[in-house]
């Protein structure tokens, strides 16, 4: 036949007290909270690094003589986005840091779009 469990030997869960359950739930919530915090911090750092990379590339293009008078303001905006991206490491409060990061991303997008549209 099936060779499974005997008819009277069901696996029973260990009885857990209310306090143990509450402690396990709290530990789980704390673990998820730490994971979310780490994920958000990593995402913010990656976005800030991307704006700094755009600024470094724009600076490099200026040094090799790429910009024309019509594209130079867009390169300057791209460099400004990198400055905002770096300033996210100086701002310590979460809400203003988010605003600075959003400004850096908007400036990077505007600068890169302007560079491509005017070239």
């Amino acid at each position: 036949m099936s060779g499974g469990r005997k008819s009277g030997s069901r696996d029973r869960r260990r009885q857990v007290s209310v306090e143990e359950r509450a402690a396990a739930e709290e530990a789980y919530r704390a673990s998820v909270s730490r994971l979310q915090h780490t994920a958000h911090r990593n995402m913010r750092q990656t976005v800030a690094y991307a704006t700094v990379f755009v600024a470094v590339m724009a600076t490099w293009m200026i040094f090799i003589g790429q910009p024309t008078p019509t594209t130079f303001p867009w390169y300057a905006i791209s460099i400004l986005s990198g400055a905002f991206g770096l300033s996210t490491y100086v701002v310590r409060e979460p809400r203003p840091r988010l605003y600075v990061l959003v400004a850096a991303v908007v400036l990077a997008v505007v600068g890169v779009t302007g560079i491509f549209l005017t070239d």
Side-chain angles (χ1 to χ4, degrees), residues 50-119:
T51 60
V52 171
F53 178 75
V54 167
V56 167
M57 296 311 313
T59 304
W60 176 254
M61 297 300 277
I62 288 174
F63 281 135
I64 65 171
Q66 181 69 25
T68 62
T70 57
T71 60
F72 186 76
W74 303 114
Y75 283 98
I77 290 173
S78 296
I79 293 171
L80 186 62
S81 76
F84 273 86
L86 283 176
S87 67
T88 59
Y89 294 102
V90 177
V91 178
R92 291 293 174 199
E93 295 297 318
R95 185 62 67 179
R97 185 183 330 149
L98 180 65
Y99 294 149
V100 170
L101 187 60
V102 167
V105 170
V106 168
L107 287 172
V109 168
V110 168
V112 170
T113 304
I115 289 169
F116 282 119
L117 290 178
T118 55
D119 268 352

Side-chain angles (χ1 to χ4, degrees), residues 6-47:
K6 295 180 184 172
S7 64
S9 67
R10 295 193 180 258
D11 288 331
R12 294 190 181 193
R13 291 186 181 170
R14 183 175 69 90
Q15 295 297 324
V16 179
S17 69
V18 175
E19 293 83 18
E20 288 175 336
R21 180 178 291 267
E25 287 176 0
E26 183 61 32
Y28 176 77
R29 284 190 185 112
S31 175
V32 169
S33 176
R34 283 191 308 270
L35 179 65
Q36 286 177 341
H37 176 73
T38 303
H40 287 127
R41 185 182 68 229
N42 290 343
M43 183 62 153
R44 284 191 307 265
Q45 286 179 347
T46 302
V47 171

